[in-house]
PDB file of all heavy atoms in Angstrom:
ATOM      1  N   HIS W  30     235.996  97.103 197.897  1.00 96.00           N
ATOM      2  CA  HIS W  30     235.380  98.124 197.047  1.00 96.00           C
ATOM      3  C   HIS W  30     235.009  99.342 197.875  1.00 96.00           C
ATOM      4  O   HIS W  30     235.227 100.497 197.461  1.00 96.00           O
ATOM      5  CB  HIS W  30     234.148  97.533 196.356  1.00 96.00           C
ATOM      6  CG  HIS W  30     233.600  98.373 195.252  1.00 96.00           C
ATOM      7  ND1 HIS W  30     232.779  99.457 195.479  1.00 96.00           N
ATOM      8  CD2 HIS W  30     233.755  98.288 193.897  1.00 96.00           C
ATOM      9  CE1 HIS W  30     232.451 100.006 194.325  1.00 96.00           C
ATOM     10  NE2 HIS W  30     233.029  99.323 193.353  1.00 96.00           N
ATOM     11  N   PHE W  31     234.453  99.113 199.059  1.00 96.00           N
ATOM     12  CA  PHE W  31     234.067 100.217 199.935  1.00 96.00           C
ATOM     13  C   PHE W  31     235.282 101.036 200.355  1.00 96.00           C
ATOM     14  O   PHE W  31     235.234 102.275 200.385  1.00 96.00           O
ATOM     15  CB  PHE W  31     233.352  99.664 201.162  1.00 96.00           C
ATOM     16  CG  PHE W  31     232.948 100.711 202.163  1.00 96.00           C
ATOM     17  CD1 PHE W  31     231.857 101.528 201.930  1.00 96.00           C
ATOM     18  CD2 PHE W  31     233.667 100.870 203.339  1.00 96.00           C
ATOM     19  CE1 PHE W  31     231.481 102.500 202.848  1.00 96.00           C
ATOM     20  CE2 PHE W  31     233.294 101.833 204.262  1.00 96.00           C
ATOM     21  CZ  PHE W  31     232.202 102.646 204.020  1.00 96.00           C
ATOM     22  N   ILE W  32     236.386 100.373 200.672  1.00 96.00           N
ATOM     23  CA  ILE W  32     237.602 101.081 201.070  1.00 96.00           C
ATOM     24  C   ILE W  32     238.136 101.917 199.910  1.00 96.00           C
ATOM     25  O   ILE W  32     238.558 103.067 200.097  1.00 96.00           O
ATOM     26  CB  ILE W  32     238.657 100.075 201.567  1.00 96.00           C
ATOM     27  CG1 ILE W  32     238.209  99.481 202.910  1.00 96.00           C
ATOM     28  CG2 ILE W  32     240.026 100.736 201.713  1.00 96.00           C
ATOM     29  CD1 ILE W  32     239.064  98.340 203.395  1.00 96.00           C
ATOM     30  N   CYS W  33     238.098 101.367 198.704  1.00 95.00           N
ATOM     31  CA  CYS W  33     238.525 102.128 197.525  1.00 95.00           C
ATOM     32  C   CYS W  33     237.641 103.363 197.333  1.00 95.00           C
ATOM     33  O   CYS W  33     238.135 104.448 197.001  1.00 95.00           O
ATOM     34  CB  CYS W  33     238.469 101.252 196.274  1.00 95.00           C
ATOM     35  SG  CYS W  33     239.744  99.984 196.165  1.00 95.00           S
ATOM     36  N   GLU W  34     236.347 103.182 197.535  1.00 95.00           N
ATOM     37  CA  GLU W  34     235.418 104.311 197.376  1.00 95.00           C
ATOM     38  C   GLU W  34     235.707 105.408 198.387  1.00 95.00           C
ATOM     39  O   GLU W  34     235.762 106.593 198.054  1.00 95.00           O
ATOM     40  CB  GLU W  34     233.977 103.833 197.529  1.00 95.00           C
ATOM     41  CG  GLU W  34     232.959 104.953 197.372  1.00 95.00           C
ATOM     42  CD  GLU W  34     231.537 104.511 197.640  1.00 95.00           C
ATOM     43  OE1 GLU W  34     231.012 103.717 196.832  1.00 95.00           O
ATOM     44  OE2 GLU W  34     230.945 104.958 198.648  1.00 95.00           O
ATOM     45  N   MET W  35     235.899 105.030 199.644  1.00 94.00           N
ATOM     46  CA  MET W  35     236.167 106.017 200.682  1.00 94.00           C
ATOM     47  C   MET W  35     237.450 106.784 200.397  1.00 94.00           C
ATOM     48  O   MET W  35     237.503 108.006 200.527  1.00 94.00           O
ATOM     49  CB  MET W  35     236.263 105.332 202.053  1.00 94.00           C
ATOM     50  CG  MET W  35     234.947 104.840 202.616  1.00 94.00           C
ATOM     51  SD  MET W  35     233.765 106.160 202.983  1.00 94.00           S
ATOM     52  CE  MET W  35     232.706 106.044 201.537  1.00 94.00           C
ATOM     53  N   ARG W  36     238.490 106.056 199.988  1.00 94.00           N
ATOM     54  CA  ARG W  36     239.748 106.724 199.694  1.00 94.00           C
ATOM     55  C   ARG W  36     239.597 107.685 198.521  1.00 94.00           C
ATOM     56  O   ARG W  36     240.118 108.799 198.549  1.00 94.00           O
ATOM     57  CB  ARG W  36     240.847 105.697 199.387  1.00 94.00           C
ATOM     58  CG  ARG W  36     242.218 106.351 199.265  1.00 94.00           C
ATOM     59  CD  ARG W  36     243.206 105.548 198.462  1.00 94.00           C
ATOM     60  NE  ARG W  36     244.378 106.378 198.195  1.00 94.00           N
ATOM     61  CZ  ARG W  36     244.450 107.273 197.198  1.00 94.00           C
ATOM     62  NH1 ARG W  36     243.427 107.434 196.384  1.00 94.00           N
ATOM     63  NH2 ARG W  36     245.532 108.011 197.034  1.00 94.00           N
ATOM     64  N   SER W  37     238.875 107.279 197.483  1.00 92.00           N
ATOM     65  CA  SER W  37     238.668 108.137 196.315  1.00 92.00           C
ATOM     66  C   SER W  37     237.900 109.395 196.691  1.00 92.00           C
ATOM     67  O   SER W  37     238.241 110.498 196.260  1.00 92.00           O
ATOM     68  CB  SER W  37     237.915 107.372 195.222  1.00 92.00           C
ATOM     69  OG  SER W  37     238.694 106.314 194.715  1.00 92.00           O
ATOM     70  N   ARG W  38     236.881 109.247 197.491  1.00 92.00           N
ATOM     71  CA  ARG W  38     236.087 110.409 197.883  1.00 92.00           C
ATOM     72  C   ARG W  38     236.896 111.366 198.755  1.00 92.00           C
ATOM     73  O   ARG W  38     236.803 112.585 198.609  1.00 92.00           O
ATOM     74  CB  ARG W  38     234.837 109.951 198.622  1.00 92.00           C
ATOM     75  CG  ARG W  38     233.824 109.232 197.726  1.00 92.00           C
ATOM     76  CD  ARG W  38     232.626 108.766 198.521  1.00 92.00           C
ATOM     77  NE  ARG W  38     231.927 109.882 199.149  1.00 92.00           N
ATOM     78  CZ  ARG W  38     231.049 109.768 200.139  1.00 92.00           C
ATOM     79  NH1 ARG W  38     230.780 108.561 200.636  1.00 92.00           N
ATOM     80  NH2 ARG W  38     230.454 110.822 200.635  1.00 92.00           N
ATOM     81  N   LEU W  39     237.695 110.818 199.667  1.00 91.00           N
ATOM     82  CA  LEU W  39     238.520 111.671 200.519  1.00 91.00           C
ATOM     83  C   LEU W  39     239.567 112.432 199.718  1.00 91.00           C
ATOM     84  O   LEU W  39     239.943 113.547 200.069  1.00 91.00           O
ATOM     85  CB  LEU W  39     239.206 110.824 201.591  1.00 91.00           C
ATOM     86  CG  LEU W  39     238.311 110.297 202.713  1.00 91.00           C
ATOM     87  CD1 LEU W  39     239.037 109.227 203.518  1.00 91.00           C
ATOM     88  CD2 LEU W  39     237.852 111.429 203.624  1.00 91.00           C
ATOM     89  N   SER W  40     240.032 111.824 198.617  1.00 87.00           N
ATOM     90  CA  SER W  40     241.089 112.457 197.824  1.00 87.00           C
ATOM     91  C   SER W  40     240.598 113.701 197.098  1.00 87.00           C
ATOM     92  O   SER W  40     241.398 114.518 196.648  1.00 87.00           O
ATOM     93  CB  SER W  40     241.664 111.459 196.810  1.00 87.00           C
ATOM     94  OG  SER W  40     240.724 111.149 195.800  1.00 87.00           O
ATOM     95  N   ARG W  41     239.291 113.871 196.968  1.00 81.00           N
ATOM     96  CA  ARG W  41     238.760 115.056 196.289  1.00 81.00           C
ATOM     97  C   ARG W  41     239.183 116.337 196.992  1.00 81.00           C
ATOM     98  O   ARG W  41     239.601 117.296 196.355  1.00 81.00           O
ATOM     99  CB  ARG W  41     237.230 114.998 196.234  1.00 81.00           C
ATOM    100  CG  ARG W  41     236.668 114.055 195.189  1.00 81.00           C
ATOM    101  CD  ARG W  41     235.166 114.052 195.259  1.00 81.00           C
ATOM    102  NE  ARG W  41     234.591 113.296 194.153  1.00 81.00           N
ATOM    103  CZ  ARG W  41     233.331 112.930 194.079  1.00 81.00           C
ATOM    104  NH1 ARG W  41     232.522 113.246 195.076  1.00 81.00           N
ATOM    105  NH2 ARG W  41     232.878 112.264 193.045  1.00 81.00           N
ATOM    106  N   THR W  42     239.042 116.345 198.292  1.00 76.00           N
ATOM    107  CA  THR W  42     239.386 117.542 199.061  1.00 76.00           C
ATOM    108  C   THR W  42     240.723 117.389 199.782  1.00 76.00           C
ATOM    109  O   THR W  42     241.126 118.286 200.512  1.00 76.00           O
ATOM    110  CB  THR W  42     238.275 117.858 200.088  1.00 76.00           C
ATOM    111  OG1 THR W  42     237.991 116.683 200.851  1.00 76.00           O
ATOM    112  CG2 THR W  42     237.001 118.300 199.372  1.00 76.00           C
ATOM    113  N   ASN W  43     241.385 116.245 199.579  1.00 79.00           N
ATOM    114  CA  ASN W  43     242.714 116.009 200.153  1.00 79.00           C
ATOM    115  C   ASN W  43     243.625 115.459 199.057  1.00 79.00           C
ATOM    116  O   ASN W  43     243.941 114.260 199.030  1.00 79.00           O
ATOM    117  CB  ASN W  43     242.638 115.004 201.309  1.00 79.00           C
ATOM    118  CG  ASN W  43     241.780 115.491 202.458  1.00 79.00           C
ATOM    119  OD1 ASN W  43     242.236 116.209 203.335  1.00 79.00           O
ATOM    120  ND2 ASN W  43     240.512 115.109 202.434  1.00 79.00           N
ATOM    121  N   PRO W  44     244.040 116.330 198.113  1.00 72.00           N
ATOM    122  CA  PRO W  44     244.808 115.854 196.964  1.00 72.00           C
ATOM    123  C   PRO W  44     246.125 115.192 197.325  1.00 72.00           C
ATOM    124  O   PRO W  44     246.681 114.428 196.531  1.00 72.00           O
ATOM    125  CB  PRO W  44     245.044 117.132 196.145  1.00 72.00           C
ATOM    126  CG  PRO W  44     244.846 118.265 197.103  1.00 72.00           C
ATOM    127  CD  PRO W  44     243.815 117.785 198.083  1.00 72.00           C
ATOM    128  N   ASP W  45     246.632 115.447 198.533  1.00 75.00           N
ATOM    129  CA  ASP W  45     247.901 114.841 198.961  1.00 75.00           C
ATOM    130  C   ASP W  45     247.684 113.549 199.742  1.00 75.00           C
ATOM    131  O   ASP W  45     248.627 113.019 200.335  1.00 75.00           O
ATOM    132  CB  ASP W  45     248.688 115.841 199.829  1.00 75.00           C
ATOM    133  CG  ASP W  45     249.074 117.094 199.063  1.00 75.00           C
ATOM    134  OD1 ASP W  45     249.309 116.992 197.843  1.00 75.00           O
ATOM    135  OD2 ASP W  45     249.111 118.178 199.680  1.00 75.00           O
ATOM    136  N   LEU W  46     246.461 113.053 199.732  1.00 80.00           N
ATOM    137  CA  LEU W  46     246.159 111.828 200.471  1.00 80.00           C
ATOM    138  C   LEU W  46     247.001 110.670 199.957  1.00 80.00           C
ATOM    139  O   LEU W  46     247.071 110.412 198.765  1.00 80.00           O
ATOM    140  CB  LEU W  46     244.666 111.480 200.320  1.00 80.00           C
ATOM    141  CG  LEU W  46     244.163 110.307 201.152  1.00 80.00           C
ATOM    142  CD1 LEU W  46     244.128 110.680 202.642  1.00 80.00           C
ATOM    143  CD2 LEU W  46     242.771 109.887 200.692  1.00 80.00           C
ATOM    144  N   GLU W  47     247.643 109.983 200.885  1.00 77.00           N
ATOM    145  CA  GLU W  47     248.475 108.840 200.514  1.00 77.00           C
ATOM    146  C   GLU W  47     247.648 107.557 200.587  1.00 77.00           C
ATOM    147  O   GLU W  47     246.431 107.588 200.509  1.00 77.00           O
ATOM    148  CB  GLU W  47     249.686 108.776 201.458  1.00 77.00           C
ATOM    149  CG  GLU W  47     250.593 109.989 201.387  1.00 77.00           C
ATOM    150  CD  GLU W  47     251.314 110.131 200.057  1.00 77.00           C
ATOM    151  OE1 GLU W  47     251.459 109.097 199.356  1.00 77.00           O
ATOM    152  OE2 GLU W  47     251.733 111.245 199.715  1.00 77.00           O
ATOM    153  N   LYS W  48     248.309 106.450 200.762  1.00 82.00           N
ATOM    154  CA  LYS W  48     247.618 105.163 200.823  1.00 82.00           C
ATOM    155  C   LYS W  48     247.096 104.847 202.217  1.00 82.00           C
ATOM    156  O   LYS W  48     246.430 103.840 202.417  1.00 82.00           O
ATOM    157  CB  LYS W  48     248.548 104.058 200.336  1.00 82.00           C
ATOM    158  CG  LYS W  48     248.978 104.232 198.880  1.00 82.00           C
ATOM    159  CD  LYS W  48     249.994 103.183 198.463  1.00 82.00           C
ATOM    160  CE  LYS W  48     250.472 103.411 197.035  1.00 82.00           C
ATOM    161  NZ  LYS W  48     251.487 102.423 196.625  1.00 82.00           N
ATOM    162  N   ASP W  49     247.431 105.700 203.184  1.00 90.00           N
ATOM    163  CA  ASP W  49     246.934 105.539 204.547  1.00 90.00           C
ATOM    164  C   ASP W  49     245.889 106.619 204.823  1.00 90.00           C
ATOM    165  O   ASP W  49     246.087 107.775 204.445  1.00 90.00           O
ATOM    166  CB  ASP W  49     248.065 105.671 205.561  1.00 90.00           C
ATOM    167  CG  ASP W  49     249.153 104.629 205.354  1.00 90.00           C
ATOM    168  OD1 ASP W  49     248.908 103.653 204.625  1.00 90.00           O
ATOM    169  OD2 ASP W  49     250.247 104.804 205.925  1.00 90.00           O
ATOM    170  N   PHE W  50     244.814 106.255 205.464  1.00 93.00           N
ATOM    171  CA  PHE W  50     243.806 107.252 205.824  1.00 93.00           C
ATOM    172  C   PHE W  50     242.993 106.766 207.010  1.00 93.00           C
ATOM    173  O   PHE W  50     242.984 105.580 207.339  1.00 93.00           O
ATOM    174  CB  PHE W  50     242.888 107.578 204.637  1.00 93.00           C
ATOM    175  CG  PHE W  50     242.050 106.420 204.148  1.00 93.00           C
ATOM    176  CD1 PHE W  50     240.754 106.235 204.604  1.00 93.00           C
ATOM    177  CD2 PHE W  50     242.559 105.531 203.207  1.00 93.00           C
ATOM    178  CE1 PHE W  50     239.988 105.175 204.150  1.00 93.00           C
ATOM    179  CE2 PHE W  50     241.794 104.471 202.748  1.00 93.00           C
ATOM    180  CZ  PHE W  50     240.500 104.288 203.221  1.00 93.00           C
ATOM    181  N   ARG W  51     242.319 107.700 207.644  1.00 93.00           N
ATOM    182  CA  ARG W  51     241.499 107.397 208.816  1.00 93.00           C
ATOM    183  C   ARG W  51     240.092 107.016 208.358  1.00 93.00           C
ATOM    184  O   ARG W  51     239.471 107.720 207.560  1.00 93.00           O
ATOM    185  CB  ARG W  51     241.451 108.619 209.747  1.00 93.00           C
ATOM    186  CG  ARG W  51     240.596 108.419 210.985  1.00 93.00           C
ATOM    187  CD  ARG W  51     240.782 109.575 211.955  1.00 93.00           C
ATOM    188  NE  ARG W  51     239.762 109.595 212.999  1.00 93.00           N
ATOM    189  CZ  ARG W  51     239.727 108.776 214.040  1.00 93.00           C
ATOM    190  NH1 ARG W  51     240.680 107.880 214.184  1.00 93.00           N
ATOM    191  NH2 ARG W  51     238.769 108.863 214.935  1.00 93.00           N
ATOM    192  N   LEU W  52     239.596 105.907 208.883  1.00 95.00           N
ATOM    193  CA  LEU W  52     238.245 105.432 208.597  1.00 95.00           C
ATOM    194  C   LEU W  52     237.519 105.296 209.937  1.00 95.00           C
ATOM    195  O   LEU W  52     237.533 104.231 210.561  1.00 95.00           O
ATOM    196  CB  LEU W  52     238.300 104.084 207.861  1.00 95.00           C
ATOM    197  CG  LEU W  52     236.968 103.499 207.381  1.00 95.00           C
ATOM    198  CD1 LEU W  52     236.393 104.329 206.240  1.00 95.00           C
ATOM    199  CD2 LEU W  52     237.154 102.048 206.918  1.00 95.00           C
ATOM    200  N   PRO W  53     236.889 106.374 210.416  1.00 96.00           N
ATOM    201  CA  PRO W  53     236.341 106.393 211.786  1.00 96.00           C
ATOM    202  C   PRO W  53     234.978 105.715 211.916  1.00 96.00           C
ATOM    203  O   PRO W  53     234.061 106.245 212.548  1.00 96.00           O
ATOM    204  CB  PRO W  53     236.247 107.892 212.067  1.00 96.00           C
ATOM    205  CG  PRO W  53     235.932 108.487 210.737  1.00 96.00           C
ATOM    206  CD  PRO W  53     236.692 107.658 209.727  1.00 96.00           C
ATOM    207  N   LEU W  54     234.848 104.550 211.302  1.00 97.00           N
ATOM    208  CA  LEU W  54     233.594 103.796 211.370  1.00 97.00           C
ATOM    209  C   LEU W  54     233.795 102.581 212.267  1.00 97.00           C
ATOM    210  O   LEU W  54     234.768 101.844 212.105  1.00 97.00           O
ATOM    211  CB  LEU W  54     233.158 103.345 209.972  1.00 97.00           C
ATOM    212  CG  LEU W  54     232.979 104.448 208.920  1.00 97.00           C
ATOM    213  CD1 LEU W  54     232.612 103.835 207.574  1.00 97.00           C
ATOM    214  CD2 LEU W  54     231.901 105.445 209.357  1.00 97.00           C
ATOM    215  N   SER W  55     232.871 102.372 213.174  1.00 95.00           N
ATOM    216  CA  SER W  55     232.965 101.220 214.067  1.00 95.00           C
ATOM    217  C   SER W  55     232.714  99.934 213.288  1.00 95.00           C
ATOM    218  O   SER W  55     232.221  99.947 212.158  1.00 95.00           O
ATOM    219  CB  SER W  55     231.943 101.348 215.200  1.00 95.00           C
ATOM    220  OG  SER W  55     230.628 101.191 214.686  1.00 95.00           O
ATOM    221  N   GLN W  56     233.041  98.824 213.928  1.00 95.00           N
ATOM    222  CA  GLN W  56     232.789  97.517 213.314  1.00 95.00           C
ATOM    223  C   GLN W  56     231.299  97.343 213.007  1.00 95.00           C
ATOM    224  O   GLN W  56     230.919  96.790 211.975  1.00 95.00           O
ATOM    225  CB  GLN W  56     233.265  96.405 214.248  1.00 95.00           C
ATOM    226  CG  GLN W  56     233.503  95.087 213.549  1.00 95.00           C
ATOM    227  CD  GLN W  56     234.980  94.727 213.552  1.00 95.00           C
ATOM    228  OE1 GLN W  56     235.799  95.499 213.071  1.00 95.00           O
ATOM    229  NE2 GLN W  56     235.302  93.582 214.089  1.00 95.00           N
ATOM    230  N   GLN W  57     230.449  97.840 213.926  1.00 96.00           N
ATOM    231  CA  GLN W  57     229.001  97.724 213.720  1.00 96.00           C
ATOM    232  C   GLN W  57     228.550  98.582 212.531  1.00 96.00           C
ATOM    233  O   GLN W  57     227.698  98.172 211.740  1.00 96.00           O
ATOM    234  CB  GLN W  57     228.254  98.154 214.983  1.00 96.00           C
ATOM    235  CG  GLN W  57     226.744  97.965 214.896  1.00 96.00           C
ATOM    236  CD  GLN W  57     226.353  96.505 214.775  1.00 96.00           C
ATOM    237  OE1 GLN W  57     226.639  95.706 215.651  1.00 96.00           O
ATOM    238  NE2 GLN W  57     225.674  96.149 213.684  1.00 96.00           N
TER     239      GLN W  57
END
């Protein structure tokens, strides 16, 4: 669910966002 949320939010300002994206959050 969190990954879906992040992708949806990123797509707002990146309309060409594909199914791959950068998630610069550490494991912690």
Side-chain angles (χ1 to χ4, degrees):
H30 192 279
F31 178 76
I32 290 172
C33 288
E34 180 185 292
M35 288 296 100
R36 188 203 169 278
S37 294
R38 291 178 60 196
L39 288 167
S40 69
R41 283 178 172 168
T42 51
N43 298 275
D45 297 328
L46 186 70
E47 298 293 337
K48 298 175 183 178
D49 300 345
F50 64 94
R51 179 171 166 75
L52 185 69
L54 303 177
S55 69
Q56 200 113 303
Q57 184 65 61

